[in-house]
Amino acid sequence: MQKDTTTSSSPSTNTGRIRHRKRSNEVIPEVSKSNGAQLLVNDKSKYKSMLIRAYSSVWMIGSFVLIIYMGHLYITAMIVVIQIFMARELFNLLRRAHEDKQLPGFRLLNWHFFFTAMLFVYGRILSQRLVNTVNSDKVLYRLVSSLIKYHMVVCYSLYITGFIWFILTLKKKMYKYQFGQYAWTHMILIVVFGQSSFTVPSIFEGIFWFLLPATLIVINDIAAYFFGFFFGKTPLIKLSPKKTWEGFIGASVTTIISAFMLANIMGRSPWFTCPRKDLSTGWLDCDPGLLFKPESYSLLGWTPHWFPWKEISILPVQWHALCLGLFASIIAPFGGFFASGFKRAFKIKDFGDSIPGHGGITDRMDCQMVMAVFAYIYHQSFVVPQSLSVEMILDQILMNLSFDEQEALYRRLGEMLQQGIEMMS
């Protein structure tokens, strides 16, 4: 690049110092590097990094399997822990130690907004299930019903308290930094809790609708890494110089095949398919519905006579799983590309270092957040029946009527049924 060669004859040199345009120090990889030197196949330390990454992956997958076995409530608790770590990493991204020293308690204000948002989101998601958990105890039921009734008032009061707190802490010469942090905090809340509004309901609709999409993202990520590791030659996108077309295509095929096969395995377990209507942790047993009842397809005329299987058994949900696999392999990776561009904008390699070989928690959640939203919308749009059911009406009754009103409704229904029986006789 050519340097600024402005001479002293310029008028600006006589009246003051020359003002140069501030150049970005973001490191943009050269074309030659992005086309070869940065690919995994050319990385001399790739085997060492692969071992570190594999060791961390084993621990993460093992912990994940244990939590899935423990049940819905523990999976929700895992989501909460992940969100806390994500918020910490994102809060630290724009943190300046010098400014923070002049603003004691300012970081505490960020966490005040965070836990207020958490109370609001999870209160709305879990309120009905909390009611279902305590409805056998009249005292607890009344207490919980009162808390739910004033839930929004409590959350709004907490938010306004934080808002006033922020205004009272404004300092001269720090306004720009403080308002920047205020806006950044709210963006984090949208990113973190926006996806939880979809993830947690999916868990209670049946672990299947949380576990399958999450697993497909993991499979896609691992497959892309290994296909790129051994075969990657063609760069895919400049935002992620190590991503290759070979890895992308190989991962896509692997993910779609895995979606079809895993849906058959997971769809046969009541623990995965049954919805959870309360916050208990006991075993589940239910009618899984037509989606999870196998259908037989004859192979006669399609296979040679010596082929051992004459028919195959397929769950209808496996066809839905193909759509999830297609999204996980084609669209969800763009969440990772977005995160890569975001990190380049802030000149960082990873959001954190809590997971050796992987970076931070946020680095692992970029594609998961995109996938979680799609999985919930797909389930609600194409899987859940749109007509009212007895369970849906009962949920509304438990949610919106007091205990006395429910007793009155019960008596009224009894009278109506008795009148109907008398008329029929």
Side-chain angles (χ1 to χ4, degrees):
M1 295 179 63
Q2 292 183 345
K3 296 183 180 179
D4 191 351
T5 56
T6 306
T7 62
S8 57
S9 60
S10 174
S12 61
T13 59
N14 298 327
T15 58
R17 60 183 181 182
I18 302 173
R19 297 187 64 182
H20 297 277
R21 178 184 295 177
K22 185 176 179 181
R23 298 183 179 89
S24 171
N25 58 358
E26 179 181 359
V27 180
I28 306 296
E30 297 175 4
V31 176
S32 60
K33 289 185 177 181
S34 63
N35 287 335
Q38 295 195 14
L39 299 179
L40 282 172
V41 291
N42 300 319
D43 190 349
K44 295 181 180 179
S45 61
K46 65 178 183 178
Y47 289 102
K48 181 181 178 180
S49 62
M50 183 184 71
L51 289 175
I52 296 173
R53 190 181 181 96
Y55 180 78
S56 300
S57 298
V58 169
W59 275 103
M60 285 192 293
I61 293 172
S63 302
F64 184 70
V65 170
L66 176 62
I67 293 171
I68 293 296
Y69 173 78
M70 295 173 72
H72 305 69
L73 193 59
Y74 293 93
I75 299 172
T76 304
M78 176 190 70
I79 298 297
V80 171
V81 172
I82 288 173
Q83 289 174 334
I84 292 173
F85 275 91
M86 286 179 62
R88 188 187 69 171
E89 292 173 356
L90 293 172
F91 282 149
N92 290 335
L93 196 59
L94 291 184
R95 186 175 181 178
R96 297 177 188 172
H98 176 71
E99 283 81 352
D100 284 351
K101 288 180 180 179
Q102 301 180 50
L103 300 168
F106 192 69
R107 287 294 143 193
L108 186 61
L109 179 60
N110 289 342
W111 289 108
H112 171 84
F113 283 122
F114 176 84
F115 286 108
T116 298
M118 178 178 286
L119 177 63
F120 176 77
V121 170
Y122 283 95
R124 292 178 65 87
I125 294 173
L126 302 178
S127 58
Q128 179 57 58
R129 292 171 177 85
L130 183 58
V131 169
N132 294 343
T133 305
V134 303
N135 59 8
S136 58
D137 189 312
K138 191 172 182 179
V139 176
L140 276 177
Y141 179 82
R142 290 180 183 277
L143 175 62
V144 170
S145 298
S146 299
L147 291 174
I148 292 173
K149 181 179 180 181
Y150 299 108
H151 167 252
M152 292 188 68
V153 173
V154 172
C155 293
Y156 182 73
S157 300
L158 288 172
Y159 181 83
I160 286 298
T161 301
F163 178 74
I164 295 172
W165 180 359
F166 169 75
I167 298 299
L168 294 178
T169 58
L170 289 173
K171 278 190 173 185
K172 192 176 181 180
K173 297 184 179 180
M174 302 289 291
Y175 295 152
K176 186 176 181 179
Y177 176 73
Q178 287 180 278
F179 276 101
Q181 288 292 308
Y182 184 80
W184 178 241
T185 299
H186 283 69
M187 196 196 84
I188 292 172
L189 299 182
I190 293 172
V191 170
V192 172
F193 291 111
Q195 59 89 19
S196 68
S197 300
F198 300 94
T199 304
V200 177
S202 294
I203 295 170
F204 285 92
E205 289 289 343
I207 295 178
F208 178 94
W209 298 106
F210 162 77
L211 181 59
L212 180 63
T215 304
L216 293 180
I217 292 297
V218 174
I219 291 173
N220 185 262
D221 186 56
I222 293 174
Y225 179 81
F226 277 99
F227 276 98
F229 187 91
F230 291 106
F231 309 109
K233 295 290 185 181
T234 312
L236 175 62
I237 188 169
K238 291 182 178 180
L239 285 173
S240 297
K242 292 186 178 182
K243 299 289 177 64
T244 63
W245 275 105
E246 291 81 3
F248 183 79
I249 295 172
S252 298
V253 174
T254 304
T255 303
I256 294 172
I257 294 174
S258 299
F260 192 77
M261 296 175 63
L262 285 174
N264 189 287
I265 298 171
M266 295 180 185
R268 297 178 186 274
S269 170
W271 185 244
F272 292 148
T273 59
C274 290
R276 174 74 73 181
K277 298 298 183 181
D278 53 27
L279 299 180
S280 62
T281 57
W283 184 254
L284 289 170
D285 190 18
C286 67
D287 179 6
L290 296 176
L291 277 178
F292 298 100
K293 291 181 179 179
E295 297 177 350
S296 297
Y297 294 87
S298 176
L299 297 179
L300 295 176
W302 295 88
T303 56
H305 67 278
W306 50 263
F307 196 72
W309 294 285
K310 303 304 178 184
E311 65 177 23
I312 58 173
S313 177
I314 295 178
L315 303 179
V317 76
Q318 288 180 255
W319 307 118
H320 292 289
L322 287 177
C323 296
L324 295 177
L326 194 64
F327 187 91
S329 58
I330 305 295
I331 306 299
F334 281 85
F337 301 152
F338 176 86
S340 296
F342 192 84
K343 287 183 286 189
R344 286 170 65 84
F346 286 92
K347 307 174 186 66
I348 57 174
K349 183 178 183 294
D350 297 308
F351 286 104
D353 56 0
S354 53
I355 309 175
H358 293 268
I361 296 292
T362 310
D363 293 286
R364 293 296 90 211
M365 292 296 111
D366 45 16
C367 299
Q368 291 285 4
M369 290 189 290
V370 176
M371 187 68 198
V373 175
F374 173 77
Y376 177 80
I377 293 175
Y378 183 89
H379 178 261
Q380 294 297 312
S381 301
F382 302 107
V383 178
V384 175
Q386 300 301 315
S387 58
L388 288 175
S389 65
V390 175
E391 287 188 353
M392 292 173 65
I393 296 172
L394 287 175
D395 286 344
Q396 291 298 315
I397 292 172
L398 290 171
M399 182 70 181
N400 297 302
L401 298 183
S402 66
F403 192 80
D404 293 335
E405 290 171 332
Q406 290 177 34
E407 287 183 333
L409 176 63
Y410 177 78
R411 288 193 296 269
R412 180 60 179 152
L413 285 173
E415 293 172 0
M416 293 173 64
L417 289 172
Q418 185 64 35
Q419 291 173 3
I421 293 172
E422 290 174 355
M423 292 176 63
M424 291 176 64
S425 59

